[in-house]
Amino acid sequence: MLRPRLLRELTLASTSHPQQRLWLSAASGLVCHKEWAYVVADDEYHLGCFRLDPAQLPQVDQAPLELLTLIEGELPVPHKQRKKAKADLESLVLLPASAGFPNGALLSLGSGSKPNRCRAQLLPLQANGHVNESALSRHDLTDLYEPLRKHFEDLNIEGAFVAGDQLRLLQRGNKGKSPSACISYDCHAVTEWLAHPRKHPPSPHAVLLLDFGSVEGVPLCPTDAAALADGFWVVSLVAEDTDDSYQDGACVASAIAIMDADDKVSQLHRLEKSPKVEGIAVIAGNTSPTLLMVTDADDVELAAHLLSVRLPHAE
């Protein structure tokens, strides 16, 4: 069992949030790039960012996060109305440099679990790794997600990562009829479609069903992933006691799995105290990588956490 270390709470300055919230409470995606860490939350319209120097870990800047607007407008405050209206931004991925984005770009993705959750926001990066806010573009993912509904009765895209020339999306299953899966696209084709939208988006070239076992009858399902060396990758898992992608449930367990180059489970480690990890990023180390994680407590009164854990060797 791995013991995560608390590095900080994802706090906000009282004047930065349109509703004067003092923290992000439902962090769902994490990207670390150069000296910056970026976070999306599934019940917000903003991107949070703060400085992060990998060489200084486990010391982390405790300054409040800066908020950047991804979607115009304001979400309702009451929980039920907010849940119904939210864009459900569950994934954040770093796209590599390309002709259209010479310094790469950040892409946030809605889960696709409801019609209003099929939105994406693309933010090109500057040379120093910070986002170029003025170049933000917004995209409709309905046509990209529609073919996936043939595979998944309850579509719920919760994670995304780039591995080599592939963009991989993670379908999070549940206790109901929907399985977990890793869905692979040609990354260049997706980037080109985003830069120059066409009528027909690229189609996935592989849909790999995933099974990580269960805890107390609740399946462990993927919430995010990140690439490791030599074709390996790491995935965060949560056993949430719910039958569908809309209703929340108790977090029975959480875990980290290391996948080998053939997309098979190489190692699986439970996380002590079962934090509900929904976003991860890998920081390379001299011996073994450090995994940074952000959490979603499903409670507006609780701040999301930034955690770290040292990964065992992937072998």
Side-chain angles (χ1 to χ4, degrees):
M1 185 170 287
L2 301 179
R3 179 180 295 178
R5 178 173 185 167
L6 175 62
L7 300 183
R8 65 162 293 168
E9 294 184 337
L10 300 184
T11 54
L12 305 171
S14 60
T15 56
S16 68
H17 193 280
Q19 295 162 342
Q20 289 74 55
R21 292 191 171 201
L22 298 179
W23 49 71
L24 297 180
S25 59
S28 54
L30 173 67
V31 164
C32 298
H33 181 57
K34 295 191 175 181
E35 295 183 1
W36 295 95
Y38 297 97
V39 181
V40 289
D42 65 34
D43 68 344
E44 296 287 353
Y45 280 169
H46 300 85
L47 178 74
C49 66
F50 60 96
R51 288 192 176 274
L52 179 77
D53 184 352
Q56 297 298 316
L57 290 173
Q59 301 301 314
V60 176
D61 188 349
Q62 301 293 317
L65 276 65
E66 176 186 358
L67 284 184
L68 309 173
T69 300
L70 293 176
I71 299 173
E72 297 294 340
E74 192 169 318
L75 284 164
V77 174
H79 175 72
K80 287 187 178 180
Q81 292 94 313
R82 192 179 190 89
K83 187 177 183 67
K84 184 177 180 179
K86 70 181 185 177
D88 207 29
L89 302 179
E90 290 284 1
S91 308
L92 187 67
V93 60
L94 175 65
L95 298 179
S98 63
F101 310 107
N103 299 304
L106 290 181
L107 178 65
S108 59
L109 300 160
S111 66
S113 57
K114 298 291 180 182
N116 63 312
R117 298 177 175 185
C118 295
R119 289 180 276 181
Q121 300 78 39
L122 185 65
L123 275 163
L125 293 168
Q126 303 176 67
N128 65 357
H130 201 270
V131 294
N132 183 357
E133 297 176 64
S134 64
L136 169 68
S137 59
R138 299 180 176 96
H139 303 265
D140 186 347
L141 299 176
T142 301
D143 290 343
L144 183 75
Y145 283 168
E146 190 59 33
L148 302 181
R149 301 187 192 280
K150 299 175 184 178
H151 298 274
F152 308 106
E153 182 176 322
D154 190 5
L155 184 67
N156 189 19
I157 301 300
E158 287 251 349
F161 70 107
V162 172
D165 60 359
Q166 297 181 64
L167 172 65
R168 293 182 155 192
L169 305 184
L170 290 171
Q171 155 72 12
R172 179 177 170 182
N174 51 55
K175 287 174 61 181
K177 298 179 180 179
S178 197
S180 295
C182 181
I183 305 153
S184 298
Y185 293 84
D186 180 278
C187 188
H188 176 73
V190 174
T191 303
E192 282 294 300
W193 176 65
L194 292 168
H196 308 287
R198 301 186 299 273
K199 183 176 181 180
H200 299 292
S203 298
H205 61 75
V207 178
L208 173 69
L209 296 183
L210 299 171
D211 185 354
F212 298 98
S214 61
V215 178
E216 298 177 16
V218 182
L220 284 163
C221 299
T223 59
D224 203 6
L228 297 171
D230 301 323
F232 282 62
W233 48 291
V234 59
V235 56
S236 55
L237 306 168
V238 167
E240 185 174 2
D241 193 3
T242 181
D243 293 329
D244 60 54
S245 62
Y246 191 81
Q247 299 298 331
D248 297 325
C251 183
V252 174
S254 58
I256 296 296
I258 297 177
M259 311 294 288
D260 65 21
D262 295 319
D263 298 326
K264 305 295 184 182
V265 178
S266 172
Q267 300 178 33
L268 192 148
H269 303 275
R270 292 273 299 274
L271 294 177
E272 191 174 280
K273 298 184 178 180
S274 302
K276 191 183 177 191
V277 173
E278 294 213 359
I280 63 173
V282 173
I283 305 296
N286 292 329
T287 53
S288 60
T290 294
L291 187 67
L292 298 184
M293 309 176 288
V294 290
T295 64
D296 175 0
D298 287 327
D299 187 342
V300 70
E301 299 299 325
L302 298 175
H305 289 165
L306 177 71
L307 308 174
S308 72
V309 69
R310 181 74 72 175
L311 280 178
H313 288 286
E315 57 186 16

